[in-house]
Amino acid sequence: MASQEIEALSAALARLPGLGPRSARRAVLWLIKRRETSLVQLIEALGAVREGLVECATCGNVDTTNPCGICADPRRDARSICVVEEVADLWALDRARLFTGRYHVLGGKLSALEGVRPEDLAIAPLIARVSAGGIDEVVLAMNATLEGQTTAHYIAERLEGLPVRLTQLAHGLPVGGELDYLDEGTLAQALRARRPVG
Ligand SMILES: [Zn+2]
């Protein structure tokens, strides 16, 4: 019986990004040894996430409120939107504490290989947000990967003709670099030196 439960937990953990079957089994054994401390903390944290977190209907951020804390914060500049691939990128950029505007999470990137089309991403809601007016600048903060840049190019085309300044993160980001992995100083620099698209 016990091994069945261990197998089920190992299989669930092995599906997490960055974990394979081997490290998942090690994590399970580690948790079993700490069932009254770390395992309880993990269960409680997972429960809190399940109960308490929602997706912001405006920007796609994950928070305890909808609209999220960033969209609801009157001190943040509603005229400037920074477009990112994933929530992790939003969090990374916000940790750099340089961008004072709001965000828009696409939920991925265009990929012919993985069959991700524009309609699979939150691109139409972005166009609608910008078309509604009141926005001066859209910062395209896709990862410096081929797919990230293809996505940025597509969005730039779709926003053409709308009265908005399009900028992108400064080059100097490592090629193939994902925002989530960059230190805050590098991100802050890329934001500070952002330049017009095209
Ligand atoms: Zn939001």
Side-chain angles (χ1 to χ4, degrees), residues 95-143:
R95 276 198 303 273
R97 294 178 176 279
L98 198 81
F99 185 67
T100 54
R102 295 179 182 173
Y103 292 93
H104 191 92
V105 180
L106 295 173
K109 54 192 178 296
L110 295 176
S111 168
L113 205 64
E114 288 168 35
V116 182
R117 302 155 303 168
E119 53 268 41
D120 299 319
L121 304 176
I123 292 176
L126 172 66
I127 309 297
R129 233 178 129 182
V130 176
S131 302
I135 290 163
D136 295 336
E137 180 187 17
V138 174
V139 186
L140 299 175
M142 272 81 255
N143 290 321

Side-chain angles (χ1 to χ4, degrees), residues 55-63 65-72 90 102-105 129:
E55 193 171 287
C56 175
T58 307
C59 76
N61 188 16
V62 175
D63 203 348
T65 55
N66 174 24
C68 71
I70 292 174
C71 285
L90 185 165
R102 295 179 182 173
Y103 292 93
H104 191 92
V105 180
R129 233 178 129 182

Side-chain angles (χ1 to χ4, degrees), residues 41-101:
Q41 283 166 10
L42 181 63
I43 291 167
E44 284 173 356
L46 289 172
V49 165
R50 185 184 180 176
E51 298 300 317
L53 290 189
V54 287
E55 193 171 287
C56 175
T58 307
C59 76
N61 188 16
V62 175
D63 203 348
T64 49
T65 55
N66 174 24
C68 71
I70 292 174
C71 285
D73 186 347
R75 290 165 303 181
R76 301 202 61 134
D77 185 1
R79 291 165 307 163
S80 187
I81 294 182
C82 181
V83 185
V84 293
E85 292 175 22
E86 302 284 359
V87 174
D89 301 326
L90 185 165
W91 291 348
L93 279 167
D94 224 51
R95 276 198 303 273
R97 294 178 176 279
L98 198 81
F99 185 67
T100 54

